[in-house]
Every structure is written in C-alpha cells, then in structure tokens.
Amino acid sequence: MIRIALRAPALALAGVALLVAAPASVPAAPIAAAPGAPEAGAARTGITITTRSVGRFGKILVDGRGMPLYVFTADKGRRSVCYGDCARAWPVTFAGGTPRARGGASDALLGTTKRRDGRRQVTYRGRPLYYYVDDRPGLALCHDVREFGGLWLLVRASGKRVP
C-alpha cells in the first residue's frame, strides 16, 4: 500500500516534467466544453420567468423556483428606485444572463434594465421585477402593500398588475 501512495505523486511529477519539457511549437489540444454548456460567444442563459397559480391571486409571474415576482409603482419606467433598505426588503430579480420566458410568460414582454452598480435587473412589460424577502415558493405575502414610497403588486402574464 505504501508503494501505491508513493507512485501517484511520482507519476504526477513526471507528467508535470513532460509538460514543462514539451516544445513551445506544439499547439495545445482544445478543451472540450461540458455537455450542455453554451458555445464560446453564446449568451449565457439567465433566470427563468414563468407563471404559477398562487393562492387567491390566481396565475401570476414567478421565477423558475416558484418565487412570486412584484413590480413597484414608485419605479420610474424601466429605472429602479429601490436601493438600500428597500432592496434588502424587496430583493432585485437579477438576470444572471439572458432571461427566458416559460409557461404562460412571454419572451416579448421580458427584458432587462441596468442598475447603478451595472448589474442587469429583469423587467417585464418594461417594469423592473422584485421578490419579497419573506415570500416562499408558491406563497405571496405582500401584494398591494405600500412601502418605500409606492405600492408593491404581483404581476400577471399579460404584464398587468394584479388588482
């Protein structure tokens, strides 16, 4: 057993020596991408926006985990005004790549906007999307709540706010 333990480091050291001694004119073999990985230059797939029936609100927008999504009436069009304490209570829905619509959500209504820190926030029908910090998948606790200078409202697949 001791010989096996000593051979592995010796083999690894020999492999490193071969790499160091290899002529510079030999091109390195290309590294294959992992199965399902995007090709070089392809846009990275981001968050999934879909729909789900959530309690008395019916079908609303949710992310791929089933977390309800809200709009904030104080936002200025595509520009978010929710920062600091507001963003801690109402976390931003970050794109993390190119967002995609599934289920009843529409790719045509899905987009992003740039925040002050340069990160991309998901928009739907031109309005920035948020989570509520205490929501859970399939559970929306703060629809039609006035906080931080505006109303927080759930959103339908049409992009209209839930009444």
Side-chain angles (χ1 to χ4, degrees):
M1 283 205 166
I2 292 174
R3 282 190 175 168
I4 292 172
L6 293 176
R7 283 186 185 182
L11 288 174
L13 189 55
V16 170
L18 284 174
L19 286 174
V20 172
S25 63
V26 177
I31 298 172
E39 294 179 25
R44 190 176 74 164
T45 301
I47 189 170
T48 298
I49 305 298
T50 188
T51 57
R52 178 178 181 174
S53 187
V54 175
R56 63 185 172 91
F57 306 114
K59 275 202 173 200
I60 61 166
L61 289 183
V62 297
D63 72 4
R65 300 170 299 151
M67 293 293 292
L69 298 169
Y70 296 82
V71 293
F72 184 37
T73 62
D75 282 342
K76 307 295 183 206
R78 298 178 65 83
R79 189 171 53 88
S80 173
V81 297
C82 183
Y83 290 88
D85 289 341
C86 177
R88 281 186 280 286
W90 297 91
V92 171
T93 305
F94 286 110
T98 303
R100 63 181 177 193
R102 295 288 185 262
S106 168
D107 271 321
L109 298 178
L110 195 56
T112 63
T113 189
K114 194 172 185 180
R115 291 181 61 80
R116 291 190 306 217
D117 65 2
R119 294 178 73 188
R120 305 299 297 181
Q121 182 173 3
V122 178
T123 61
Y124 200 79
R125 199 176 176 197
R127 300 193 65 105
L129 296 177
Y130 303 86
Y131 299 103
Y132 175 63
V133 71
D134 290 328
D135 279 356
R136 298 290 170 257
L139 178 65
L141 298 172
C142 277
H143 172 68
D144 200 21
V145 169
R146 184 169 297 281
E147 192 172 40
F148 297 104
L151 278 176
W152 295 90
L153 301 166
L154 294 165
V155 188
R156 300 245 183 257
S158 66
K160 294 183 179 176
R161 299 176 248 175
V162 173

